[in-house]
Amino acid sequence: MTPPPPQPPPPGPDPAEDSAADPCPRPELLVVLFGATAGALGPDLGSDETDLILLVWQAVEPRRRQVGTLHKSLVRAEAAALSPQCREASGLSADSLARAEPLDKVLQQFSQLVSGDVALLGGGPYMLCTDGQQLLRQVLHPEASRKNLVLPDTFFSFYDLRREFHMQHPSLCPTRDLTVATMAQDLGLDTDATEDDFGVWEVKTMVAIILHLLEGPSGQLFSKPEVVKQKYETGPCSKADAVDSETVVRARGLPWQSSDQDVARFFKGLNIARGGVALCLNAQGRRNGEALIRFVDSEQRDLALQRHKHHMGVRYIEVYKATGEEFVKIAGGTSLEVVRFLSREDQVILRLRGLPFSAGPADVLAFLGPECPVTEGADGLLFVRHPDGRPTGDAFALFACEELAQAALRRHKGMLGKRYIELFRSTAAEVQQVLNRYASSPLLPTLTAPLLPIPFPLTTGTGRDCVRLRGLPYTATIEDILSFLGEAAVDIRPHGVHMVLNQQGRPSGDAFIQMTSAERALAAAQRCHKKVMKERYVEVVPCSTEEMSRVLMGGTLGRSGMSPPPCKLPCLSPPTYATFQASPALIPTETAALYPSSTLLPAARVPASPTPVTYYPGPATQLYMNYTAYYPSPPVSPTAVGYLTTPPAALASAPTSVLSQPGTLVRMQGIPYTAGMKDLLSVFQAYQLAPDDYTSLMPIGDPPRTVLQAPKEWVCL
């Protein structure tokens, strides 16, 4: 199509005199642009993720009031189905769109035709002008990103005609409520009502509005263009920063491997604040598929909310409003070390996980190799540590460009010493979250004391003479663990295997094992770490008895998010746990009323005098601790039981001859009616009963029965 010569300028003042009279220079050329998609139109343009089907444009020379040729071009859409609204307004059909050029070809034609029109109008730089921001921010940039097209620089700055109109006429109506028709009506312009070519009337009317606005006082008109950021900028966020809640959204449903750049690409066309993408982590320190995004203003946030259920690959992403407090909680930090680390701009961040605890900067740099140098060498590494300075095995590294980061990612699961190292893309917000997690709480946080004292004392200390097994198959048994440990199983202490169950009483995949010494524990960890059990690799790490005891007594693991579930009866390994002080305030009132305070912690057994019968409390008393199962190895001789003393009513049927014998009585509840003497004796295997015959097993609460008709409750001496 050969454009006709430009129209001659109408009579008016000399352009040089007009330029001298105007203190603010106006743009030399404007290109008025209109577009439509196959879906929604108007304020919802681009909200349904449909493809662009139409572009109409015309160049304008505001100083001489000249206009170029009006051009209209159809765009082939991948999904040719038109919405009823679009079909009615445009009059287009699927057949006409099928014969159109694809978007990349149309953009090339646009650049060529605009360059020709600009040359005929006198040359010089030009700027796009659109009706609102949806066409560029919500349609062109997202679609080009989806189709991996590179837009010319022309599409990264433009004038919003609605905003320019509102600047000169602020009292008419809000900017978001303006349309081409209302602006023309407010200015009293005569428009061609007979024009029925879709998009042509809109462009002609926009040109008339621009020329009318520039006739009056226009000192600030068309002087501050809208800018679309070409690249997302990373940066730190402080806990002291004030973040406007009208600028934050929450994106949910992100792929696990997505990075901040992927999130920024999903919101392509919208201006995200520097460091404004915060990927959220779960209790295990892994990404949970959510992110908080902070935009530069509320208008960008409102446009982002229109991308609710748009797609990232094959997944649709939900977008909701969020608050500034939520963003600061996730992305904010207080560490000066982190601020210095993240202060370097235009850096790609990678996370290294699984480093040996003895690894230093030189080891990490040697692992990455000279082909992917870290920015500033050792200063570009940030090691994550516990509050006491112990390494966690995590580190972050900075790289100057995407190519170097890609080269480093090829070292994923490479070996450093005897450990393989995992590498992932990371973000500034993830750095803050990981550092905050370890700085604010220890690996095994402090827990509240259990409701009742623990009956069997355990030598406590910080010596790391235990190992923790993490990632066990849910079907793993004690025998599987012993087979997994191999030769190290001979170094297990009696009653030294403790399998942790979750709140539903099912295996959690964790277990603790007490070894005979710290050296044996370290050797077992080194020999068995990452070995495979039933097609799963199991992590084996040393830990202290105190850490193990805290977890088994109801504590939570900072790296696994385990919470203390309620259980009605204690399930403790006899020789394993340190004594906690009872908290009378935590004991239910109905239970505490049955027992005087002096009976809560009975004194040690004195063989020469009768010892009160002890028993497990009823369902009214609940212990809040992790469910555990134990390795039935031969126990050591237990000390005096420290649970609540049996109330007098429970001893009414007990003969005096039994109660006067030295030793400790244990009351057993919940025994099956079919249980016999041999079944009960097998429970106390390796424990020494006071007499050598069966008279130490005495039924209570029921008349005497035979062994085959044993009652449900027994008292054992």
Side-chain angles (χ1 to χ4, degrees), residues 248-264:
V248 183
V249 300
R250 178 185 295 273
R252 183 180 301 166
L254 299 169
W256 306 115
Q257 69 275 15
S258 60
S259 65
D260 55 347
Q261 297 295 337
D262 297 322
V263 175

Side-chain angles (χ1 to χ4, degrees), residues 156-225:
F156 287 88
S157 58
F158 65 98
Y159 289 112
D160 183 357
L161 183 58
R162 298 183 186 184
R163 184 163 294 179
E164 302 298 330
F165 179 87
H166 189 266
M167 188 180 300
Q168 195 174 74
H169 304 275
S171 60
L172 293 179
C173 63
T175 304
R176 62 178 177 273
D177 297 333
L178 292 173
T179 63
V180 174
T182 57
M183 288 187 289
Q185 182 179 359
D186 292 336
L187 295 177
L189 299 178
D190 293 331
T191 59
D192 187 2
T194 62
E195 181 63 66
D196 58 355
D197 195 355
F198 181 61
V200 174
W201 179 89
E202 286 80 0
V203 170
K204 288 182 176 180
T205 306
M206 291 169 65
V207 171
I209 293 172
I210 292 172
L211 295 178
H212 187 279
L213 291 176
L214 293 176
E215 288 178 354
S218 54
Q220 299 297 324
L221 289 180
F222 300 102
S223 59
K224 296 181 179 179

